[in-house]
Structures are given as structure tokens and as C-alpha cells.
Amino acid sequence: MNVVHPPRPAHQTMRVAIVHEWLEHYAGSERVIEQLLIMYPQAEIFAIVDFMPQAERSMLGGRPVHTTFIQKLPFARRCFRYYLGLMPVAIEQLDLSGFDLVISSNHAVAKGIITGPDQVHVCYVHSPMRYAWDMQAAYLRQGGIERGLRGLYARWLLHRLRNWDVRSAAGVDVFVANSSYIARRIRKVYRRNATVVFPPVDVDRFEMSTAPRQDYVVVSRLVPYKRIDLVVEAFRRMPERVLHVAGDGPERERIAALADNAPNIILHGRVSDEEVLRMMRQARAFVFAAEEDFGIAMVEAQACGTPLIVFGRGGACDIVRDMGDAGGATGVFFDEQGADAIITAVERFESIQDRITPQACHANAQRFSQSAFRQSMSRVVEQALHEMRPGTIEAT
């Protein structure tokens, strides 16, 4: 017999849930949540925990956040990440049964929420769990837990997380990746295809400059995987070129030691947003050696009209237009994470920099604007709703 389901409600009455891992600070993934809330002002928000400071909560528009039992566990405010092993259980306890559309913002466990056959689940992936998959060895090494009982427990926990991660991917109807690189990781880990929608960048905040430029700049957190050490080492061997390093983090002392006795390398530490804007607008080029999932700082530099000299892996490949691109070059790549490769790239850049204009860089950045994100994400969701709207099915 034929079973006919009622049509899905119109968008103005459609119930929408937005699920995030945790709300702690306003950063890259929170920018996605902010734009989703603009797209769906009626949406309700769910998260493992919510410890976002009052000064950063304006993006939520006064909405309450539905949290899990981890919110009330001892020392959760400071140490909620230590409850990682409980997060799959916690996320599965959220009751989303009354919603028509569920959008999860995932870099750990958010995609594991449970939905029914008449609900559409769209998952925006910042990255599959890096520490559980291809970067497990690096995380264990950096955490100093490669061996011993702690290392054994960590490997066991990550093994269980990998199994759960793959199983929970089956509950996602549509995967969306923040870059082509992450789309490939999704394909590798979950054996699923993903549509690429670049994350929203507030490019309007960064004004283009056509003034003469002389020095180089890197703006980044000083953590191991950012490989600021390679950039500093390269410029230490190029004393005739000045490098400005803005940012702070656990690698600061090591970076300062590498820059010792190198007057052409200026360490600024943590600087204000206004100072970052000034440095980017005055830079000859923005240099970056990390393999990023996407790379918002690179887009912000382009919005200032600043060329890029970056490692040609990860999200950078979606951002930089190299020589020969029809839209006009906006930077150059280097193929290895090493000081020698960076030096060669800087020399190559200087040989062609007259062919890289601030206007081309600024225009390139517009592809990653907040409005571009909303338009692209809206198309993905609309298509998912259209294709998965319950209709007539055959039942016996």
C-alpha cells in the first residue's frame, strides 16, 4: 500500500537545530555558527558544553544553549576536553526529535547526534578528528604520551573514538567540507562525498592598500604545527629581508631563541586586531608554512591586497591563485616544509611580484565572504531538503 507523509513545513515554520561541539571562545568555527543563525533566526542551539564569556556571546543573539550532562561534571569549565571519552555518549543524549532540519558543526563529535528518517541532517565539517586519525602520532608526541600507561590508555581511547566516528557518519545525510582538503579527508575516513563550502570570513573588515610595501609578515598562534620556526629560520638566513612575527603561544620562547641575534626578525607577540590589519596592509607578502584545514588568516591577508607565500598543501590550495590562473596570480607556493623551500619561494615571489596586484588579491578574497558562505550553504540545504523531503513510499 501507499503511505503518504505530510509535506515538510515551509521555511518560516520549519524547526531548525544547530549543533556545535563546545562554546568556549569566538573563533573560526563559531563564525560558522554565527552565519547559520543569520540564515535561520528561528534555530535552537545545542552543544556539549557552553562556557563562552559574556563579552563574546553577542553572536548567539540572546538564545539559550542546550547543553549535555558534561556541563555539570566536576572541573568541566577548565577541563572539559578531558571528558572526550564521554562526549560520544553525551551528544547522543540530545533530544532533537522535534526538528525538521539539523545542522551540525563538526570537528569532533557533533555529527553523532541521532536523527530520524523524516529529519534532514546536514553536517558542516571543519575537520574529522585529527588527533584520532592521520595526526594521532603527532598529537601523542606533542602531548608527551607516546609510551607508558598514559600512552596505552590514549591509544585505546582513540581506537574507540575512530570506531564510533565511522559508525556515526552513517547518520549524516549530507556532508559539507570547509575546503577541498577536508573533502578528501572525509572521503578517506568516512567513504562519503562532500560539497565544499568555504567558511565565512569578514573580508569587509580588511581594507585594501596600494601603498608601497617592503617587509614580510606572519600572523599566527605560536604552536608547533604552524611551523613558524621554519619561517624564522628562513629569514634568519636572509638578513637583508625583514620579517614581522605577530602572535603568542607555547612556542614563543623557542621562536625567540631562533630569532636571537637576527635583527631583521621582529617578534611582536600578541597584538590587537587593528595592529594586525596595519601589519597586513603594509606587508610585501604574508608567509605561512603550516598545513591548514582552511586558513582564515591567509584570506584576511588577501583582503588587504597582500600576496601569499605559503606551503602548497591543505586549505591554501583553495585560496591562492598561482601564476597562470585566469583570475590573476595572488601568491606563490612552496612544496616542502623547510627553510630552503621558503627561501626559494621568496626569491621566486620577488622575481614575479610585479605581476601580482593588490586588486587581484582583494578580489580573490571576496570568494570567501560571509555572504558567499550564506548563499552557498543555503543552496546545499535547499537541495538536501528537496531531495530528502518525505513523499510517497511503497510499504508491504
Side-chain angles (χ1 to χ4, degrees):
M1 66 177 180
N2 291 334
V3 178
V4 180
H5 293 275
R8 187 172 300 279
H11 276 205
Q12 56 267 30
T13 59
M14 181 174 63
R15 292 199 65 194
V16 180
I18 296 175
V19 185
H20 196 46
E21 255 96 27
W22 48 76
L23 291 165
E24 184 183 22
H25 292 293
Y26 180 74
S29 59
E30 286 71 30
R31 299 184 192 196
V32 169
I33 299 300
E34 182 178 35
Q35 295 303 310
L36 291 174
L37 290 173
I38 293 174
M39 293 171 59
Y40 303 101
Q42 77 273 34
E44 295 186 35
I45 308 172
F46 295 79
I48 296 286
V49 295
D50 173 20
F51 296 121
M52 181 170 283
Q54 191 63 40
E56 301 179 27
R57 300 185 70 85
S58 61
M59 57 160 282
L60 300 175
R63 298 174 180 83
V65 178
H66 307 283
T67 57
T68 70
F69 65 85
I70 293 179
Q71 178 85 17
K72 298 181 180 179
L73 290 181
F75 312 109
R77 178 174 291 274
R78 290 187 300 170
C79 304
F80 66 85
R81 288 178 177 81
Y82 286 98
Y83 292 118
L84 178 63
L86 294 176
M87 289 184 183
V89 176
I91 203 74
E92 291 175 347
Q93 303 314 304
L94 292 174
D95 182 7
L96 302 175
S97 57
F99 294 91
D100 305 293
L101 169 66
V102 179
I103 304 176
S104 58
S105 166
N106 183 87
H107 58 73
V109 299
K111 76 176 189 337
I113 45 95
I114 296 174
T115 55
D118 292 343
Q119 296 174 287
V120 176
H121 178 189
V122 177
C123 179
Y124 189 89
V125 182
H126 306 279
S127 176
M129 287 187 280
R130 292 182 292 259
Y131 40 85
W133 291 99
D134 52 306
M135 295 185 71
Q136 173 185 278
Y139 274 85
L140 292 175
R141 184 168 55 252
Q142 291 171 16
I145 52 175
E146 292 180 278
R147 299 178 178 83
L149 290 177
R150 291 178 64 204
L152 182 63
Y153 169 75
R155 293 175 191 276
W156 171 82
L157 174 61
L158 293 176
H159 170 73
R160 290 179 60 86
L161 284 173
R162 279 192 294 273
N163 290 339
W164 177 87
D165 196 29
V166 171
R167 181 188 62 77
S168 63
V172 176
D173 297 310
V174 176
F175 275 108
V176 182
N178 70 350
S179 68
S180 301
Y181 172 62
I182 294 303
R184 293 195 299 273
R185 296 192 74 213
I186 290 170
R187 180 64 182 170
K188 181 74 173 181
V189 172
Y190 307 137
R191 297 299 177 187
R192 297 280 298 278
N193 293 325
T195 302
V196 176
V197 174
F198 299 127
V201 182
D202 188 6
V203 295
D204 294 336
R205 186 168 64 91
F206 295 84
E207 298 178 359
M208 182 186 69
S209 172
T210 58
R213 300 159 179 256
Q214 184 174 355
D215 300 341
Y216 294 84
V217 68
V218 55
V219 179
S220 171
R221 288 182 297 120
L222 304 186
V223 293
Y225 88 92
K226 296 288 189 178
R227 303 315 311 266
I228 305 302
D229 57 325
L230 299 179
V231 181
V232 170
E233 171 61 21
F235 278 83
R236 191 180 63 81
R237 292 159 53 184
M238 296 186 291
E240 70 282 6
R241 298 177 176 94
V242 176
L243 173 70
H244 295 266
V245 181
D248 203 354
E251 287 273 281
R252 178 165 186 172
E253 289 187 7
R254 180 167 173 261
I255 298 301
L258 288 172
D260 194 30
N261 296 322
N264 64 312
I265 299 174
I266 304 170
L267 304 183
H268 295 266
R270 183 174 297 174
V271 300
S272 66
D273 290 344
E274 292 74 18
E275 183 66 8
V276 168
L277 174 59
R278 186 192 65 79
M279 293 173 66
M280 283 186 172
R281 295 182 72 221
Q282 294 179 356
R284 190 174 185 179
F286 183 94
V287 188
F288 204 63
E291 182 177 337
E292 288 279 34
D293 298 333
F294 178 67
I296 288 176
M298 289 184 275
V299 175
E300 292 174 342
Q302 294 270 269
C304 294
T306 303
L308 300 174
I309 302 174
V310 296
F311 181 46
R313 293 278 296 275
C317 296
D318 285 328
I319 298 172
V320 179
R321 296 188 186 278
D322 206 351
M323 297 304 299
D325 193 288
T330 66
V332 298
F333 293 114
F334 50 92
D335 296 330
E336 296 180 4
Q337 284 181 310
D340 289 338
I342 295 173
I343 292 171
T344 300
V346 169
E347 293 172 346
R348 176 174 177 247
F349 164 73
E350 291 182 354
S351 71
I352 63 170
Q353 69 178 88
D354 290 342
R355 297 156 63 186
I356 302 177
T357 67
Q359 291 79 7
C361 294
H362 182 74
N364 181 46
Q366 305 313 305
R367 298 188 292 131
F368 310 100
S369 69
Q370 294 172 338
S371 61
F373 168 83
R374 294 195 299 269
Q375 292 169 8
S376 298
M377 196 67 187
S378 179
R379 284 194 294 267
V380 171
V381 172
E382 291 291 338
Q383 183 176 351
L385 289 170
H386 174 75
E387 293 179 354
M388 305 194 64
R389 180 176 294 134
T392 301
I393 61 172
E394 293 289 329
T396 58

